[in-house]
Amino acid sequence: MITIDSLSVRRDGRTLSDGVTMHLAEGAVHGFSGTDDAVWTALFDALFELVRPDTGGVTRFGRPLRRSETAYLERRIRFFDGLTVRDLLDLTARRHPGSDPETCIRLLGLPPDRQLTALPAAVQRKTALAATLMQRKPVLLLDEPFCGLDAESVFVVQQLILQLGCEGRTLLVAADSLALLDGICDDLYVLGGGQVQGRYEHYEFQRAIREAGSAAGFPKK
């Protein structure tokens, strides 16, 4: 169990997370959506120890969650000059034996020998996503993994997320549209105003759509 206990994060005088508490089951896919993406980014940054919470904390099995247990696809990504797609994925595979760069290259249609800094932003992000999914960590934080992807790539990534969940990994997946999370998440948290505005089980997505409405990426019904 991952427990987020009364977590508050402030940046530039703004409270992004205001005493958020969650209990996240292990070996499950947890979805995050809502009206303010800065809220879940602040949560993910705190879970990955990129920021120090103003109050509260995060534990896993009753002890502090460690960065060594997590892989994080951040909102903003940067690459070293001269690094190719294959270079990055091969480096990841060497650090995480059992992962397969060639499968990711094939499934996501990545150009293996192109320099990352010369690629469009969407392809850079898709490569960073591949490197994150390859990491053999028990907890994965995916901030907007579908951003910039075409429909075929979205489907592939959804299937990869489902597969990792079935392997017993714990995934936190954030998207600004509920449609991208439907069918892959065990539960869903709708965030806004620094708070959890609603929590829904996987079979309650229609209720989430009705209650969240267009603010979470769906027209109201």
Side-chain angles (χ1 to χ4, degrees), residues 89-104 130-137 160 163-164 167 169:
L89 299 188
D90 283 349
L91 286 169
T92 304
R94 283 199 288 271
R95 295 186 63 184
H96 301 275
S99 56
D100 183 3
E102 295 305 321
T103 296
C104 288
T132 304
L133 296 177
M134 285 173 58
Q135 296 182 44
R136 311 297 287 182
K137 301 291 185 73
L160 291 172
Q163 179 181 332
L164 291 172
E167 292 175 1
R169 311 281 194 92

mmCIF file with all atom_site columns, all heavy atoms in Angstrom, residues 89-104 130-137 160 163-164 167 169:
data_model
loop_
_atom_site.group_PDB
_atom_site.id
_atom_site.type_symbol
_atom_site.label_atom_id
_atom_site.label_alt_id
_atom_site.label_comp_id
_atom_site.label_asym_id
_atom_site.label_entity_id
_atom_site.label_seq_id
_atom_site.pdbx_PDB_ins_code
_atom_site.Cartn_x
_atom_site.Cartn_y
_atom_site.Cartn_z
_atom_site.occupancy
_atom_site.B_iso_or_equiv
_atom_site.pdbx_formal_charge
_atom_site.auth_seq_id
_atom_site.auth_comp_id
_atom_site.auth_asym_id
_atom_site.auth_atom_id
_atom_site.pdbx_PDB_model_num
ATOM 1   N N   . LEU A 1 89  ? 17.714 3.900  -25.022 1.00 0.00 ? 89  LEU A N   1
ATOM 2   C CA  . LEU A 1 89  ? 17.042 2.654  -24.666 1.00 0.00 ? 89  LEU A CA  1
ATOM 3   C C   . LEU A 1 89  ? 18.045 1.555  -24.320 1.00 0.00 ? 89  LEU A C   1
ATOM 4   O O   . LEU A 1 89  ? 17.783 0.729  -23.432 1.00 0.00 ? 89  LEU A O   1
ATOM 5   C CB  . LEU A 1 89  ? 16.117 2.219  -25.794 1.00 0.00 ? 89  LEU A CB  1
ATOM 6   C CG  . LEU A 1 89  ? 14.993 3.213  -26.139 1.00 0.00 ? 89  LEU A CG  1
ATOM 7   C CD1 . LEU A 1 89  ? 14.022 2.593  -27.127 1.00 0.00 ? 89  LEU A CD1 1
ATOM 8   C CD2 . LEU A 1 89  ? 14.251 3.689  -24.893 1.00 0.00 ? 89  LEU A CD2 1
ATOM 9   N N   . ASP A 1 90  ? 19.207 1.536  -24.994 1.00 0.00 ? 90  ASP A N   1
ATOM 10  C CA  . ASP A 1 90  ? 20.239 0.559  -24.646 1.00 0.00 ? 90  ASP A CA  1
ATOM 11  C C   . ASP A 1 90  ? 20.807 0.837  -23.257 1.00 0.00 ? 90  ASP A C   1
ATOM 12  O O   . ASP A 1 90  ? 21.067 -0.101 -22.481 1.00 0.00 ? 90  ASP A O   1
ATOM 13  C CB  . ASP A 1 90  ? 21.364 0.578  -25.680 1.00 0.00 ? 90  ASP A CB  1
ATOM 14  C CG  . ASP A 1 90  ? 20.991 -0.137 -26.971 1.00 0.00 ? 90  ASP A CG  1
ATOM 15  O OD1 . ASP A 1 90  ? 19.955 -0.830 -26.991 1.00 0.00 ? 90  ASP A OD1 1
ATOM 16  O OD2 . ASP A 1 90  ? 21.733 0.009  -27.963 1.00 0.00 ? 90  ASP A OD2 1
ATOM 17  N N   . LEU A 1 91  ? 21.006 2.113  -22.921 1.00 0.00 ? 91  LEU A N   1
ATOM 18  C CA  . LEU A 1 91  ? 21.472 2.467  -21.583 1.00 0.00 ? 91  LEU A CA  1
ATOM 19  C C   . LEU A 1 91  ? 20.459 2.025  -20.526 1.00 0.00 ? 91  LEU A C   1
ATOM 20  O O   . LEU A 1 91  ? 20.835 1.497  -19.475 1.00 0.00 ? 91  LEU A O   1
ATOM 21  C CB  . LEU A 1 91  ? 21.707 3.979  -21.491 1.00 0.00 ? 91  LEU A CB  1
ATOM 22  C CG  . LEU A 1 91  ? 22.948 4.534  -22.182 1.00 0.00 ? 91  LEU A CG  1
ATOM 23  C CD1 . LEU A 1 91  ? 22.886 6.059  -22.232 1.00 0.00 ? 91  LEU A CD1 1
ATOM 24  C CD2 . LEU A 1 91  ? 24.214 4.079  -21.448 1.00 0.00 ? 91  LEU A CD2 1
ATOM 25  N N   . THR A 1 92  ? 19.195 2.233  -20.829 1.00 0.00 ? 92  THR A N   1
ATOM 26  C CA  . THR A 1 92  ? 18.142 1.821  -19.896 1.00 0.00 ? 92  THR A CA  1
ATOM 27  C C   . THR A 1 92  ? 18.138 0.308  -19.724 1.00 0.00 ? 92  THR A C   1
ATOM 28  O O   . THR A 1 92  ? 18.016 -0.204 -18.595 1.00 0.00 ? 92  THR A O   1
ATOM 29  C CB  . THR A 1 92  ? 16.768 2.293  -20.403 1.00 0.00 ? 92  THR A CB  1
ATOM 30  O OG1 . THR A 1 92  ? 16.785 3.713  -20.600 1.00 0.00 ? 92  THR A OG1 1
ATOM 31  C CG2 . THR A 1 92  ? 15.672 1.948  -19.397 1.00 0.00 ? 92  THR A CG2 1
ATOM 32  N N   . ALA A 1 93  ? 18.299 -0.423 -20.825 1.00 0.00 ? 93  ALA A N   1
ATOM 33  C CA  . ALA A 1 93  ? 18.293 -1.885 -20.758 1.00 0.00 ? 93  ALA A CA  1
ATOM 34  C C   . ALA A 1 93  ? 19.473 -2.415 -19.954 1.00 0.00 ? 93  ALA A C   1
ATOM 35  O O   . ALA A 1 93  ? 19.343 -3.414 -19.236 1.00 0.00 ? 93  ALA A O   1
ATOM 36  C CB  . ALA A 1 93  ? 18.309 -2.471 -22.170 1.00 0.00 ? 93  ALA A CB  1
ATOM 37  N N   . ARG A 1 94  ? 20.633 -1.743 -20.056 1.00 0.00 ? 94  ARG A N   1
ATOM 38  C CA  . ARG A 1 94  ? 21.787 -2.199 -19.289 1.00 0.00 ? 94  ARG A CA  1
ATOM 39  C C   . ARG A 1 94  ? 21.570 -2.016 -17.791 1.00 0.00 ? 94  ARG A C   1
ATOM 40  O O   . ARG A 1 94  ? 22.045 -2.819 -16.983 1.00 0.00 ? 94  ARG A O   1
ATOM 41  C CB  . ARG A 1 94  ? 23.051 -1.461 -19.736 1.00 0.00 ? 94  ARG A CB  1
ATOM 42  C CG  . ARG A 1 94  ? 23.605 -1.988 -21.050 1.00 0.00 ? 94  ARG A CG  1
ATOM 43  C CD  . ARG A 1 94  ? 25.066 -1.592 -21.231 1.00 0.00 ? 94  ARG A CD  1
ATOM 44  N NE  . ARG A 1 94  ? 25.216 -0.178 -21.527 1.00 0.00 ? 94  ARG A NE  1
ATOM 45  C CZ  . ARG A 1 94  ? 25.191 0.327  -22.757 1.00 0.00 ? 94  ARG A CZ  1
ATOM 46  N NH1 . ARG A 1 94  ? 24.983 -0.471 -23.798 1.00 0.00 ? 94  ARG A NH1 1
ATOM 47  N NH2 . ARG A 1 94  ? 25.356 1.612  -22.953 1.00 0.00 ? 94  ARG A NH2 1
ATOM 48  N N   . ARG A 1 95  ? 20.842 -0.972 -17.417 1.00 0.00 ? 95  ARG A N   1
ATOM 49  C CA  . ARG A 1 95  ? 20.565 -0.731 -16.004 1.00 0.00 ? 95  ARG A CA  1
ATOM 50  C C   . ARG A 1 95  ? 19.397 -1.568 -15.502 1.00 0.00 ? 95  ARG A C   1
ATOM 51  O O   . ARG A 1 95  ? 19.246 -1.750 -14.289 1.00 0.00 ? 95  ARG A O   1
ATOM 52  C CB  . ARG A 1 95  ? 20.271 0.753  -15.777 1.00 0.00 ? 95  ARG A CB  1
ATOM 53  C CG  . ARG A 1 95  ? 21.449 1.667  -16.044 1.00 0.00 ? 95  ARG A CG  1
ATOM 54  C CD  . ARG A 1 95  ? 21.137 3.093  -15.669 1.00 0.00 ? 95  ARG A CD  1
ATOM 55  N NE  . ARG A 1 95  ? 20.862 3.223  -14.240 1.00 0.00 ? 95  ARG A NE  1
ATOM 56  C CZ  . ARG A 1 95  ? 20.485 4.365  -13.661 1.00 0.00 ? 95  ARG A CZ  1
ATOM 57  N NH1 . ARG A 1 95  ? 20.323 5.453  -14.411 1.00 0.00 ? 95  ARG A NH1 1
ATOM 58  N NH2 . ARG A 1 95  ? 20.268 4.420  -12.376 1.00 0.00 ? 95  ARG A NH2 1
ATOM 59  N N   . HIS A 1 96  ? 18.587 -2.069 -16.436 1.00 0.00 ? 96  HIS A N   1
ATOM 60  C CA  . HIS A 1 96  ? 17.396 -2.833 -16.056 1.00 0.00 ? 96  HIS A CA  1
ATOM 61  C C   . HIS A 1 96  ? 17.330 -4.103 -16.894 1.00 0.00 ? 96  HIS A C   1
ATOM 62  O O   . HIS A 1 96  ? 16.567 -4.186 -17.860 1.00 0.00 ? 96  HIS A O   1
ATOM 63  C CB  . HIS A 1 96  ? 16.138 -1.981 -16.244 1.00 0.00 ? 96  HIS A CB  1
ATOM 64  C CG  . HIS A 1 96  ? 16.140 -0.722 -15.436 1.00 0.00 ? 96  HIS A CG  1
ATOM 65  N ND1 . HIS A 1 96  ? 15.718 -0.692 -14.133 1.00 0.00 ? 96  HIS A ND1 1
ATOM 66  C CD2 . HIS A 1 96  ? 16.563 0.541  -15.741 1.00 0.00 ? 96  HIS A CD2 1
ATOM 67  C CE1 . HIS A 1 96  ? 15.861 0.542  -13.658 1.00 0.00 ? 96  HIS A CE1 1
ATOM 68  N NE2 . HIS A 1 96  ? 16.372 1.305  -14.612 1.00 0.00 ? 96  HIS A NE2 1
ATOM 69  N N   . PRO A 1 97  ? 18.160 -5.097 -16.546 1.00 0.00 ? 97  PRO A N   1
ATOM 70  C CA  . PRO A 1 97  ? 18.182 -6.348 -17.320 1.00 0.00 ? 97  PRO A CA  1
ATOM 71  C C   . PRO A 1 97  ? 16.794 -6.978 -17.410 1.00 0.00 ? 97  PRO A C   1
ATOM 72  O O   . PRO A 1 97  ? 16.021 -6.970 -16.458 1.00 0.00 ? 97  PRO A O   1
ATOM 73  C CB  . PRO A 1 97  ? 19.133 -7.236 -16.499 1.00 0.00 ? 97  PRO A CB  1
ATOM 74  C CG  . PRO A 1 97  ? 19.998 -6.271 -15.749 1.00 0.00 ? 97  PRO A CG  1
ATOM 75  C CD  . PRO A 1 97  ? 19.112 -5.109 -15.428 1.00 0.00 ? 97  PRO A CD  1
ATOM 76  N N   . GLY A 1 98  ? 16.519 -7.496 -18.590 1.00 0.00 ? 98  GLY A N   1
ATOM 77  C CA  . GLY A 1 98  ? 15.210 -8.104 -18.843 1.00 0.00 ? 98  GLY A CA  1
ATOM 78  C C   . GLY A 1 98  ? 14.300 -7.224 -19.659 1.00 0.00 ? 98  GLY A C   1
ATOM 79  O O   . GLY A 1 98  ? 13.301 -7.696 -20.205 1.00 0.00 ? 98  GLY A O   1
ATOM 80  N N   . SER A 1 99  ? 14.634 -5.932 -19.768 1.00 0.00 ? 99  SER A N   1
ATOM 81  C CA  . SER A 1 99  ? 13.851 -5.041 -20.620 1.00 0.00 ? 99  SER A CA  1
ATOM 82  C C   . SER A 1 99  ? 14.344 -5.148 -22.058 1.00 0.00 ? 99  SER A C   1
ATOM 83  O O   . SER A 1 99  ? 15.486 -5.525 -22.314 1.00 0.00 ? 99  SER A O   1
ATOM 84  C CB  . SER A 1 99  ? 13.935 -3.597 -20.117 1.00 0.00 ? 99  SER A CB  1
ATOM 85  O OG  . SER A 1 99  ? 15.279 -3.172 -20.038 1.00 0.00 ? 99  SER A OG  1
ATOM 86  N N   . ASP A 1 100 ? 13.488 -4.797 -22.996 1.00 0.00 ? 100 ASP A N   1
ATOM 87  C CA  . ASP A 1 100 ? 13.769 -5.063 -24.416 1.00 0.00 ? 100 ASP A CA  1
ATOM 88  C C   . ASP A 1 100 ? 13.618 -3.794 -25.253 1.00 0.00 ? 100 ASP A C   1
ATOM 89  O O   . ASP A 1 100 ? 12.496 -3.410 -25.599 1.00 0.00 ? 100 ASP A O   1
ATOM 90  C CB  . ASP A 1 100 ? 12.822 -6.147 -24.917 1.00 0.00 ? 100 ASP A CB  1
ATOM 91  C CG  . ASP A 1 100 ? 13.095 -6.542 -26.360 1.00 0.00 ? 100 ASP A CG  1
ATOM 92  O OD1 . ASP A 1 100 ? 14.053 -6.022 -26.951 1.00 0.00 ? 100 ASP A OD1 1
ATOM 93  O OD2 . ASP A 1 100 ? 12.346 -7.369 -26.894 1.00 0.00 ? 100 ASP A OD2 1
ATOM 94  N N   . PRO A 1 101 ? 14.730 -3.139 -25.604 1.00 0.00 ? 101 PRO A N   1
ATOM 95  C CA  . PRO A 1 101 ? 14.634 -1.923 -26.418 1.00 0.00 ? 101 PRO A CA  1
ATOM 96  C C   . PRO A 1 101 ? 13.984 -2.164 -27.771 1.00 0.00 ? 101 PRO A C   1
ATOM 97  O O   . PRO A 1 101 ? 13.205 -1.316 -28.253 1.00 0.00 ? 101 PRO A O   1
ATOM 98  C CB  . PRO A 1 101 ? 16.098 -1.493 -26.584 1.00 0.00 ? 101 PRO A CB  1
ATOM 99  C CG  . PRO A 1 101 ? 16.835 -2.164 -25.488 1.00 0.00 ? 101 PRO A CG  1
ATOM 100 C CD  . PRO A 1 101 ? 16.124 -3.445 -25.228 1.00 0.00 ? 101 PRO A CD  1
ATOM 101 N N   . GLU A 1 102 ? 14.293 -3.276 -28.401 1.00 0.00 ? 102 GLU A N   1
ATOM 102 C CA  . GLU A 1 102 ? 13.792 -3.506 -29.751 1.00 0.00 ? 102 GLU A CA  1
ATOM 103 C C   . GLU A 1 102 ? 12.273 -3.606 -29.790 1.00 0.00 ? 102 GLU A C   1
ATOM 104 O O   . GLU A 1 102 ? 11.626 -3.157 -30.745 1.00 0.00 ? 102 GLU A O   1
ATOM 105 C CB  . GLU A 1 102 ? 14.413 -4.779 -30.330 1.00 0.00 ? 102 GLU A CB  1
ATOM 106 C CG  . GLU A 1 102 ? 15.913 -4.700 -30.532 1.00 0.00 ? 102 GLU A CG  1
ATOM 107 C CD  . GLU A 1 102 ? 16.320 -3.518 -31.394 1.00 0.00 ? 102 GLU A CD  1
ATOM 108 O OE1 . GLU A 1 102 ? 15.620 -3.204 -32.381 1.00 0.00 ? 102 GLU A OE1 1
ATOM 109 O OE2 . GLU A 1 102 ? 17.365 -2.902 -31.089 1.00 0.00 ? 102 GLU A OE2 1
ATOM 110 N N   . THR A 1 103 ? 11.688 -4.179 -28.759 1.00 0.00 ? 103 THR A N   1
ATOM 111 C CA  . THR A 1 103 ? 10.223 -4.257 -28.705 1.00 0.00 ? 103 THR A CA  1
ATOM 112 C C   . THR A 1 103 ? 9.615  -2.867 -28.626 1.00 0.00 ? 103 THR A C   1
ATOM 113 O O   . THR A 1 103 ? 8.630  -2.559 -29.312 1.00 0.00 ? 103 THR A O   1
ATOM 114 C CB  . THR A 1 103 ? 9.771  -5.108 -27.508 1.00 0.00 ? 103 THR A CB  1
ATOM 115 O OG1 . THR A 1 103 ? 10.235 -6.449 -27.681 1.00 0.00 ? 103 THR A OG1 1
ATOM 116 C CG2 . THR A 1 103 ? 8.260  -5.125 -27.392 1.00 0.00 ? 103 THR A CG2 1
ATOM 117 N N   . CYS A 1 104 ? 10.188 -1.997 -27.788 1.00 0.00 ? 104 CYS A N   1
ATOM 118 C CA  . CYS A 1 104 ? 9.675  -0.630 -27.677 1.00 0.00 ? 104 CYS A CA  1
ATOM 119 C C   . CYS A 1 104 ? 9.839  0.133  -28.986 1.00 0.00 ? 104 CYS A C   1
ATOM 120 O O   . CYS A 1 104 ? 8.933  0.864  -29.408 1.00 0.00 ? 104 CYS A O   1
ATOM 121 C CB  . CYS A 1 104 ? 10.392 0.101  -26.543 1.00 0.00 ? 104 CYS A CB  1
ATOM 122 S SG  . CYS A 1 104 ? 9.939  -0.454 -24.894 1.00 0.00 ? 104 CYS A SG  1
ATOM 123 N N   . ALA A 1 130 ? 9.045  5.272  -23.434 1.00 0.00 ? 130 ALA A N   1
ATOM 124 C CA  . ALA A 1 130 ? 9.581  3.918  -23.612 1.00 0.00 ? 130 ALA A CA  1
ATOM 125 C C   . ALA A 1 130 ? 10.657 3.623  -22.569 1.00 0.00 ? 130 ALA A C   1
ATOM 126 O O   . ALA A 1 130 ? 10.668 2.550  -21.953 1.00 0.00 ? 130 ALA A O   1
ATOM 127 C CB  . ALA A 1 130 ? 10.147 3.762  -25.018 1.00 0.00 ? 130 ALA A CB  1
ATOM 128 N N   . ALA A 1 131 ? 11.557 4.576  -22.341 1.00 0.00 ? 131 ALA A N   1
ATOM 129 C CA  . ALA A 1 131 ? 12.623 4.384  -21.359 1.00 0.00 ? 131 ALA A CA  1
ATOM 130 C C   . ALA A 1 131 ? 12.061 4.240  -19.949 1.00 0.00 ? 131 ALA A C   1
ATOM 131 O O   . ALA A 1 131 ? 12.589 3.472  -19.136 1.00 0.00 ? 131 ALA A O   1
ATOM 132 C CB  . ALA A 1 131 ? 13.614 5.547  -21.426 1.00 0.00 ? 131 ALA A CB  1
ATOM 133 N N   . THR A 1 132 ? 10.982 4.948  -19.663 1.00 0.00 ? 132 THR A N   1
ATOM 134 C CA  . THR A 1 132 ? 10.358 4.843  -18.333 1.00 0.00 ? 132 THR A CA  1
ATOM 135 C C   . THR A 1 132 ? 9.707  3.482  -18.150 1.00 0.00 ? 132 THR A C   1
ATOM 136 O O   . THR A 1 132 ? 9.875  2.827  -17.107 1.00 0.00 ? 132 THR A O   1
ATOM 137 C CB  . THR A 1 132 ? 9.319  5.955  -18.149 1.00 0.00 ? 132 THR A CB  1
ATOM 138 O OG1 . THR A 1 132 ? 9.926  7.237  -18.366 1.00 0.00 ? 132 THR A OG1 1
ATOM 139 C CG2 . THR A 1 132 ? 8.730  5.918  -16.748 1.00 0.00 ? 132 THR A CG2 1
ATOM 140 N N   . LEU A 1 133 ? 8.971  3.029  -19.154 1.00 0.00 ? 133 LEU A N   1
ATOM 141 C CA  . LEU A 1 133 ? 8.280  1.744  -19.051 1.00 0.00 ? 133 LEU A CA  1
ATOM 142 C C   . LEU A 1 133 ? 9.258  0.578  -18.982 1.00 0.00 ? 133 LEU A C   1
ATOM 143 O O   . LEU A 1 133 ? 8.932  -0.485 -18.437 1.00 0.00 ? 133 LEU A O   1
ATOM 144 C CB  . LEU A 1 133 ? 7.335  1.567  -20.240 1.00 0.00 ? 133 LEU A CB  1
ATOM 145 C CG  . LEU A 1 133 ? 6.169  2.555  -20.344 1.00 0.00 ? 133 LEU A CG  1
ATOM 146 C CD1 . LEU A 1 133 ? 5.358  2.290  -21.610 1.00 0.00 ? 133 LEU A CD1 1
ATOM 147 C CD2 . LEU A 1 133 ? 5.276  2.492  -19.118 1.00 0.00 ? 133 LEU A CD2 1
ATOM 148 N N   . MET A 1 134 ? 10.461 0.746  -19.536 1.00 0.00 ? 134 MET A N   1
ATOM 149 C CA  . MET A 1 134 ? 11.469 -0.310 -19.514 1.00 0.00 ? 134 MET A CA  1
ATOM 150 C C   . MET A 1 134 ? 12.094 -0.504 -18.136 1.00 0.00 ? 134 MET A C   1
ATOM 151 O O   . MET A 1 134 ? 12.677 -1.553 -17.860 1.00 0.00 ? 134 MET A O   1
ATOM 152 C CB  . MET A 1 134 ? 12.569 -0.004 -20.533 1.00 0.00 ? 134 MET A CB  1
ATOM 153 C CG  . MET A 1 134 ? 12.177 -0.236 -21.978 1.00 0.00 ? 134 MET A CG  1
ATOM 154 S SD  . MET A 1 134 ? 13.467 0.345  -23.122 1.00 0.00 ? 134 MET A SD  1
ATOM 155 C CE  . MET A 1 134 ? 14.882 -0.623 -22.583 1.00 0.00 ? 134 MET A CE  1
ATOM 156 N N   . GLN A 1 135 ? 11.993 0.490  -17.280 1.00 0.00 ? 135 GLN A N   1
ATOM 157 C CA  . GLN A 1 135 ? 12.652 0.399  -15.978 1.00 0.00 ? 135 GLN A CA  1
ATOM 158 C C   . GLN A 1 135 ? 11.947 -0.626 -15.094 1.00 0.00 ? 135 GLN A C   1
ATOM 159 O O   . GLN A 1 135 ? 10.732 -0.614 -14.966 1.00 0.00 ? 135 GLN A O   1
ATOM 160 C CB  . GLN A 1 135 ? 12.669 1.767  -15.298 1.00 0.00 ? 135 GLN A CB  1
ATOM 161 C CG  . GLN A 1 135 ? 13.493 2.791  -16.053 1.00 0.00 ? 135 GLN A CG  1
ATOM 162 C CD  . GLN A 1 135 ? 13.535 4.130  -15.349 1.00 0.00 ? 135 GLN A CD  1
ATOM 163 O OE1 . GLN A 1 135 ? 13.719 4.215  -14.141 1.00 0.00 ? 135 GLN A OE1 1
ATOM 164 N NE2 . GLN A 1 135 ? 13.360 5.196  -16.121 1.00 0.00 ? 135 GLN A NE2 1
ATOM 165 N N   . ARG A 1 136 ? 12.743 -1.482 -14.468 1.00 0.00 ? 136 ARG A N   1
ATOM 166 C CA  . ARG A 1 136 ? 12.197 -2.560 -13.659 1.00 0.00 ? 136 ARG A CA  1
ATOM 167 C C   . ARG A 1 136 ? 11.982 -2.068 -12.236 1.00 0.00 ? 136 ARG A C   1
ATOM 168 O O   . ARG A 1 136 ? 12.558 -2.571 -11.269 1.00 0.00 ? 136 ARG A O   1
ATOM 169 C CB  . ARG A 1 136 ? 13.146 -3.756 -13.677 1.00 0.00 ? 136 ARG A CB  1
ATOM 170 C CG  . ARG A 1 136 ? 13.612 -4.175 -15.060 1.00 0.00 ? 136 ARG A CG  1
ATOM 171 C CD  . ARG A 1 136 ? 12.490 -4.649 -15.943 1.00 0.00 ? 136 ARG A CD  1
ATOM 172 N NE  . ARG A 1 136 ? 12.025 -5.963 -15.523 1.00 0.00 ? 136 ARG A NE  1
ATOM 173 C CZ  . ARG A 1 136 ? 11.075 -6.641 -16.155 1.00 0.00 ? 136 ARG A CZ  1
ATOM 174 N NH1 . ARG A 1 136 ? 10.476 -6.122 -17.228 1.00 0.00 ? 136 ARG A NH1 1
ATOM 175 N NH2 . ARG A 1 136 ? 10.713 -7.822 -15.731 1.00 0.00 ? 136 ARG A NH2 1
ATOM 176 N N   . LYS A 1 137 ? 11.122 -1.070 -12.092 1.00 0.00 ? 137 LYS A N   1
ATOM 177 C CA  . LYS A 1 137 ? 10.804 -0.494 -10.791 1.00 0.00 ? 137 LYS A CA  1
ATOM 178 C C   . LYS A 1 137 ? 9.391  -0.913 -10.395 1.00 0.00 ? 137 LYS A C   1
ATOM 179 O O   . LYS A 1 137 ? 8.517  -1.081 -11.247 1.00 0.00 ? 137 LYS A O   1
ATOM 180 C CB  . LYS A 1 137 ? 10.888 1.035  -10.856 1.00 0.00 ? 137 LYS A CB  1
ATOM 181 C CG  . LYS A 1 137 ? 12.251 1.581  -11.272 1.00 0.00 ? 137 LYS A CG  1
ATOM 182 C CD  . LYS A 1 137 ? 13.290 1.345  -10.210 1.00 0.00 ? 137 LYS A CD  1
ATOM 183 C CE  . LYS A 1 137 ? 14.616 1.984  -10.573 1.00 0.00 ? 137 LYS A CE  1
ATOM 184 N NZ  . LYS A 1 137 ? 14.611 3.447  -10.447 1.00 0.00 ? 137 LYS A NZ  1
ATOM 185 N N   . LEU A 1 160 ? 0.434  -1.511 -23.005 1.00 0.00 ? 160 LEU A N   1
ATOM 186 C CA  . LEU A 1 160 ? 1.642  -1.679 -22.213 1.00 0.00 ? 160 LEU A CA  1
ATOM 187 C C   . LEU A 1 160 ? 1.377  -1.392 -20.741 1.00 0.00 ? 160 LEU A C   1
ATOM 188 O O   . LEU A 1 160 ? 1.890  -2.098 -19.861 1.00 0.00 ? 160 LEU A O   1
ATOM 189 C CB  . LEU A 1 160 ? 2.750  -0.760 -22.746 1.00 0.00 ? 160 LEU A CB  1
ATOM 190 C CG  . LEU A 1 160 ? 3.325  -1.113 -24.117 1.00 0.00 ? 160 LEU A CG  1
ATOM 191 C CD1 . LEU A 1 160 ? 4.268  -0.010 -24.599 1.00 0.00 ? 160 LEU A CD1 1
ATOM 192 C CD2 . LEU A 1 160 ? 4.068  -2.447 -24.065 1.00 0.00 ? 160 LEU A CD2 1
ATOM 193 N N   . GLN A 1 163 ? -0.432 -4.312 -19.294 1.00 0.00 ? 163 GLN A N   1
ATOM 194 C CA  . GLN A 1 163 ? 0.478  -5.437 -19.107 1.00 0.00 ? 163 GLN A CA  1
ATOM 195 C C   . GLN A 1 163 ? 1.307  -5.269 -17.840 1.00 0.00 ? 163 GLN A C   1
ATOM 196 O O   . GLN A 1 163 ? 1.468  -6.221 -17.056 1.00 0.00 ? 163 GLN A O   1
ATOM 197 C CB  . GLN A 1 163 ? 1.393  -5.570 -20.321 1.00 0.00 ? 163 GLN A CB  1
ATOM 198 C CG  . GLN A 1 163 ? 2.406  -6.703 -20.207 1.00 0.00 ? 163 GLN A CG  1
ATOM 199 C CD  . GLN A 1 163 ? 3.305  -6.792 -21.425 1.00 0.00 ? 163 GLN A CD  1
ATOM 200 O OE1 . GLN A 1 163 ? 2.918  -6.415 -22.527 1.00 0.00 ? 163 GLN A OE1 1
ATOM 201 N NE2 . GLN A 1 163 ? 4.508  -7.276 -21.233 1.00 0.00 ? 163 GLN A NE2 1
ATOM 202 N N   . LEU A 1 164 ? 1.834  -4.073 -17.626 1.00 0.00 ? 164 LEU A N   1
ATOM 203 C CA  . LEU A 1 164 ? 2.639  -3.828 -16.438 1.00 0.00 ? 164 LEU A CA  1
ATOM 204 C C   . LEU A 1 164 ? 1.809  -3.977 -15.168 1.00 0.00 ? 164 LEU A C   1
ATOM 205 O O   . LEU A 1 164 ? 2.293  -4.500 -14.154 1.00 0.00 ? 164 LEU A O   1
ATOM 206 C CB  . LEU A 1 164 ? 3.266  -2.437 -16.509 1.00 0.00 ? 164 LEU A CB  1
ATOM 207 C CG  . LEU A 1 164 ? 4.347  -2.258 -17.575 1.00 0.00 ? 164 LEU A CG  1
ATOM 208 C CD1 . LEU A 1 164 ? 4.743  -0.798 -17.688 1.00 0.00 ? 164 LEU A CD1 1
ATOM 209 C CD2 . LEU A 1 164 ? 5.568  -3.108 -17.252 1.00 0.00 ? 164 LEU A CD2 1
ATOM 210 N N   . GLU A 1 167 ? 1.502  -7.493 -14.331 1.00 0.00 ? 167 GLU A N   1
ATOM 211 C CA  . GLU A 1 167 ? 2.749  -8.039 -13.798 1.00 0.00 ? 167 GLU A CA  1
ATOM 212 C C   . GLU A 1 167 ? 2.948  -7.694 -12.327 1.00 0.00 ? 167 GLU A C   1
ATOM 213 O O   . GLU A 1 167 ? 3.949  -8.107 -11.722 1.00 0.00 ? 167 GLU A O   1
ATOM 214 C CB  . GLU A 1 167 ? 3.932  -7.511 -14.606 1.00 0.00 ? 167 GLU A CB  1
ATOM 215 C CG  . GLU A 1 167 ? 3.989  -8.030 -16.037 1.00 0.00 ? 167 GLU A CG  1
ATOM 216 C CD  . GLU A 1 167 ? 5.100  -7.390 -16.849 1.00 0.00 ? 167 GLU A CD  1
ATOM 217 O OE1 . GLU A 1 167 ? 5.832  -6.545 -16.277 1.00 0.00 ? 167 GLU A OE1 1
ATOM 218 O OE2 . GLU A 1 167 ? 5.241  -7.708 -18.039 1.00 0.00 ? 167 GLU A OE2 1
ATOM 219 N N   . ARG A 1 169 ? 3.045  -4.440 -11.127 1.00 0.00 ? 169 ARG A N   1
ATOM 220 C CA  . ARG A 1 169 ? 3.566  -3.092 -10.897 1.00 0.00 ? 169 ARG A CA  1
ATOM 221 C C   . ARG A 1 169 ? 2.437  -2.176 -10.423 1.00 0.00 ? 169 ARG A C   1
ATOM 222 O O   . ARG A 1 169 ? 1.266  -2.419 -10.714 1.00 0.00 ? 169 ARG A O   1
ATOM 223 C CB  . ARG A 1 169 ? 4.160  -2.509 -12.168 1.00 0.00 ? 169 ARG A CB  1
ATOM 224 C CG  . ARG A 1 169 ? 5.105  -3.391 -12.903 1.00 0.00 ? 169 ARG A CG  1
ATOM 225 C CD  . ARG A 1 169 ? 6.502  -3.457 -12.325 1.00 0.00 ? 169 ARG A CD  1
ATOM 226 N NE  . ARG A 1 169 ? 7.351  -4.066 -13.330 1.00 0.00 ? 169 ARG A NE  1
ATOM 227 C CZ  . ARG A 1 169 ? 8.035  -3.374 -14.228 1.00 0.00 ? 169 ARG A CZ  1
ATOM 228 N NH1 . ARG A 1 169 ? 7.991  -2.071 -14.238 1.00 0.00 ? 169 ARG A NH1 1
ATOM 229 N NH2 . ARG A 1 169 ? 8.759  -4.001 -15.126 1.00 0.00 ? 169 ARG A NH2 1
#
